[in-house]
Amino acid sequence: AVLPAGLSITAICELPSRTFSLAELVVGFAYELILPGDEVDEELDRFEAKIRAFLQAENFGVARDTKGRSVMKDIRSFVTDLALDRAGRRILLSARFGPEGTVRPAEVLTGVLGLSPEAVHKIRIVKSGTLLADFADRVDQQIFFQRVI
């Protein structure tokens, strides 16, 4: 077997036997939603107010197209953290997923912040981290992050 060009093996370790799969360890992802940089202070103020209102809400519905029809999906329980980093001109989003679904970063941008689909296309969405289950131990952290956090 040959690795694709540009890939190399840097470490190998034996995984401990478990009663759960590695996929069960991953419960969500962190995202950086990088703004274009041309936002005025009033727009950033509006984002902060909308984020604050969202985080205080118990439920928050967004329209989602599913199988050719529009349905309302409550996304609030999937967002574990949402913040505006004014200096970095980015929105920080932590979202969990599970059998009941997840939230898409674009849904936060359109539903929570009220951005148009055209404006969303100008925002760079970067998956910046992996969220692990509460039962993840030091070995699990090393596997996913190559270091203990």
Side-chain angles (χ1 to χ4, degrees):
V2 177
L3 291 173
L7 290 180
S8 62
I9 297 173
T10 60
I12 295 176
C13 67
E14 184 175 345
L15 298 178
S17 60
R18 306 181 176 283
T19 57
F20 56 87
S21 72
L22 287 178
E24 290 173 290
L25 280 174
V26 179
V27 296
F29 296 105
Y31 298 92
E32 292 183 20
L33 312 176
I34 302 168
L35 302 170
D38 58 358
E39 304 78 23
V40 295
D41 283 339
E42 292 79 17
E43 189 172 17
L44 296 177
D45 291 342
R46 187 176 61 82
F47 289 170
E48 282 181 329
K50 288 184 175 264
I51 288 170
R52 200 170 28 258
F54 174 79
L55 292 173
Q56 291 173 352
E58 281 188 42
N59 300 302
F60 194 95
V62 297
R64 182 181 283 181
D65 290 328
T66 305
K67 299 178 183 173
R69 60 187 178 98
S70 184
V71 297
M72 286 302 287
K73 178 75 174 177
D74 181 10
I75 63 168
R76 180 58 190 95
S77 65
F78 300 116
V79 177
T80 57
D81 195 23
L82 184 62
L84 173 66
D85 171 10
R86 274 183 178 261
R89 292 290 212 231
R90 63 191 177 149
I91 296 165
L92 305 174
L93 166 67
S94 292
R96 66 170 198 80
F97 59 81
E100 65 282 354
T102 191
V103 62
R104 300 174 184 127
E107 290 173 326
V108 171
L109 293 169
T110 57
V112 176
L113 300 182
L115 297 176
S116 69
E118 295 78 23
V120 170
H121 287 294
K122 296 178 184 175
I123 295 173
R124 193 166 141 228
I125 299 172
V126 178
K127 190 183 294 181
S128 58
T130 302
L131 307 178
L132 298 182
D134 292 336
F135 59 82
D137 63 16
R138 292 173 59 87
V139 172
D140 301 322
Q141 293 172 11
Q142 287 174 325
I143 291 167
F144 279 90
F145 305 118
Q146 301 299 308
R147 60 180 166 68
V148 176
I149 57 172

